[in-house]
Amino acid sequence: MTTAAIIVAAGRGLRLGGPVPKQYQMLGGEMVLTRTVRAILACEAIATGLVAIHPDYREMYDAAVDPIDDDRMLPPVSGGAERADTVRLALEALQGRGVDRVLIHDAARPFVPVTSLARLCAAESAAFLAEPVVDALWKAEGDHADHPVPREGLWRAQTPQAFPFDDILEAHRSISGGAPTTDPAQAPPLDDVEVFRRAGGAVTLIPGHPDNFKITTAADMARAERLVAGEHAMETRTGHGFDVHRFVPGDGVWLCGVRIPHGARLDGHSDADVGLHALSDALYGALADGDIGTHFPPSDPQWKGAQSHVFLSHAAERVAARGGRIVNVDITLLCEAPKIAPHAAAMRARMSEIMGIAADRISVKATTMERMGFVGREEGMGCIATATVALPRGDA
């Protein structure tokens, strides 16, 4: 299933105050829209991204997306007079691109967690994020409380809202061009869920996250600034990895990204580099993000004979995508031969290049097994790796 995301950014958004719309105002050194686009693209299940903008602000849009280098983003589409018109125009722009499912998101919600996006992408039907109402509700007469309103069964809607592409496009087409009305029952729909339900569709509620709020007022912006400031509060996580491969006839081994002449080679689906395999798994483990087999299944023939730097590079990129950094890694190779010490500096330099961290954050050492076990009998070798990463506190 191919999933696209539409970010609705065509409003003038001036209620917040200031000379520019809220989606282009600065938040922690970046535009709000920049953060929203980056949050959406953090979900790997989203194949295509499209922003609907007001044509008067094309230069601001270009500045907002300039820091984001992702070929999933399409050129922007100009919005319409009303939000529903804007969404329809964006949907029309996606037609013919093989999209099966679409997420529709507010530009002023820059903190949607990737876990929430993944749940929406995996939902089998139309669905949207929402939070249950927990506060007491009152109906007012002027500035006086009139009577309480039961809150049972009430939810506050969030975005994204996810729909089968063809169905939501047809639903939006069905309401376009309608004549103005004063009848509340026929008033313009508030959001895309209402558009979909008016067309006869059913929608599932998925619990959202409190941080996925819409920036509307100055108080909301202040709350957003506090959240961004909190991004700099990091927590430390540690993962470990372990790998073994047997020796088979050959003339060299790949260890920690360096080829070492030897009287045998290590056998494996890829190049069997036990050092990079164990370290990749250590990084994935620190993220609670599976292992090499999760991301590069051995059943997939494209990874046959692959160089293991591909795996380590991917694991390091996963850390960066979460806003984290690799603090240090520690590798212990288990072997009787070859000798590791003469190659340790080259190994550290190669892994430094792959992960983009300083070589003085990388430790490589080796130990024999005192001629015990399969390593002692030189039937194969193994590696134990530990990785420490710093991630934004509360990363979800």
Side-chain angles (χ1 to χ4, degrees):
M1 180 174 291
T2 300
T3 301
I6 292 171
I7 298 175
V8 183
R12 292 189 177 273
L14 300 177
R15 280 186 293 169
L16 181 63
V20 299
K22 59 189 177 184
Q23 60 268 34
Y24 300 115
Q25 293 195 23
M26 300 303 291
L27 174 60
E30 292 186 313
M31 290 184 186
V32 171
L33 181 59
T34 307
R35 291 179 173 273
T36 301
V37 172
R38 188 178 288 117
I40 290 294
L41 294 179
C43 180
E44 293 185 344
I46 294 173
T48 303
L50 174 65
V51 181
I53 66 172
H54 194 292
D56 289 353
Y57 300 111
R58 176 57 192 263
E59 289 186 5
M60 291 184 182
Y61 167 81
D62 289 342
V65 298
D66 182 65
I68 299 172
D69 182 17
D70 196 310
D71 58 11
R72 289 179 290 170
M73 288 299 297
L74 297 176
V77 63
S78 293
E82 302 292 339
R83 187 185 188 282
D85 300 319
T86 295
V87 172
R88 178 178 55 79
L89 290 168
L91 290 167
E92 299 281 6
L94 288 173
Q95 192 178 31
R97 292 183 173 271
V99 176
D100 303 300
R101 188 170 181 80
V102 63
L103 275 58
I104 303 172
H105 187 53
D106 297 328
R109 294 183 188 267
F111 301 112
V112 58
V114 68
T115 48
S116 296
L117 296 172
R119 292 188 195 108
L120 283 173
C121 290
E124 296 182 357
S125 60
F128 72 106
L129 301 175
E131 281 192 285
V133 173
V134 296
D135 298 319
L137 298 175
W138 282 81
K139 177 70 176 177
E141 285 291 340
D143 58 358
H144 290 83
D146 184 63
H147 62 272
V149 177
R151 66 188 177 208
E152 288 74 18
L154 296 181
W155 292 70
R156 292 195 303 272
Q158 297 179 345
T159 67
Q161 299 175 347
F163 308 92
F165 180 80
D166 291 338
D167 294 342
I168 189 63
L169 174 57
E170 186 58 34
H172 268 285
R173 284 173 173 171
S174 71
I175 66 167
S176 66
T181 177
T182 57
D183 181 359
Q186 300 299 319
L190 297 176
D191 65 4
D192 303 292
V193 168
E194 191 174 355
V195 172
F196 193 73
R197 293 191 71 254
R198 285 189 185 184
V203 187
T204 301
L205 288 165
I206 293 179
H209 193 284
D211 289 346
N212 185 25
F213 63 94
K214 186 176 182 180
I215 298 174
T216 303
T217 67
D220 295 329
M221 183 61 85
R223 178 183 175 188
E225 292 282 5
R226 291 193 296 272
L227 279 177
V228 171
E231 290 177 357
H232 300 293
M234 308 291 279
E235 65 182 21
T236 301
R237 298 190 187 183
T238 301
H240 76 271
F242 176 71
D243 192 43
V244 295
H245 284 283
R246 69 176 70 246
F247 281 127
V248 295
D251 60 1
V253 293
W254 282 96
L255 294 175
C256 298
V258 175
R259 192 178 189 279
I260 301 174
H262 188 54
R265 67 176 177 86
L266 291 169
D267 187 34
H269 185 69
S270 63
D271 63 7
D273 187 327
V274 291
L276 296 194
H277 289 189
L279 180 53
S280 298
D281 277 350
L283 289 173
Y284 289 132
L287 299 176
D289 193 21
D291 57 14
I292 290 177
T294 303
H295 301 281
F296 303 93
S299 58
D300 189 337
Q302 70 173 308
W303 307 120
K304 178 68 174 177
Q307 292 286 299
S308 295
H309 67 79
V310 173
F311 311 146
L312 182 58
S313 176
H314 180 265
E317 289 169 359
R318 300 285 285 186
V319 174
R322 296 267 289 270
R325 61 184 178 87
I326 301 170
V327 177
N328 74 291
V329 301
D330 186 18
I331 294 168
T332 301
L333 293 161
L334 311 175
C335 59
E336 301 294 330
K339 293 292 185 182
I340 301 302
H343 307 282
M347 292 175 176
R348 293 172 64 215
R350 178 60 178 139
M351 290 187 289
S352 170
E353 179 184 10
I354 296 169
M355 293 185 288
I357 66 173
D360 64 5
R361 294 180 179 272
I362 302 169
S363 170
V364 177
K365 54 191 184 297
T367 185
T368 70
M369 297 294 285
E370 301 293 339
R371 296 294 174 182
M372 297 182 294
F374 76 92
V375 171
R377 294 189 297 270
E378 297 190 45
E379 296 172 2
M381 64 180 300
C383 181
I384 300 170
T386 302
T388 302
V389 304
L391 291 177
R393 192 174 300 280
D395 173 68

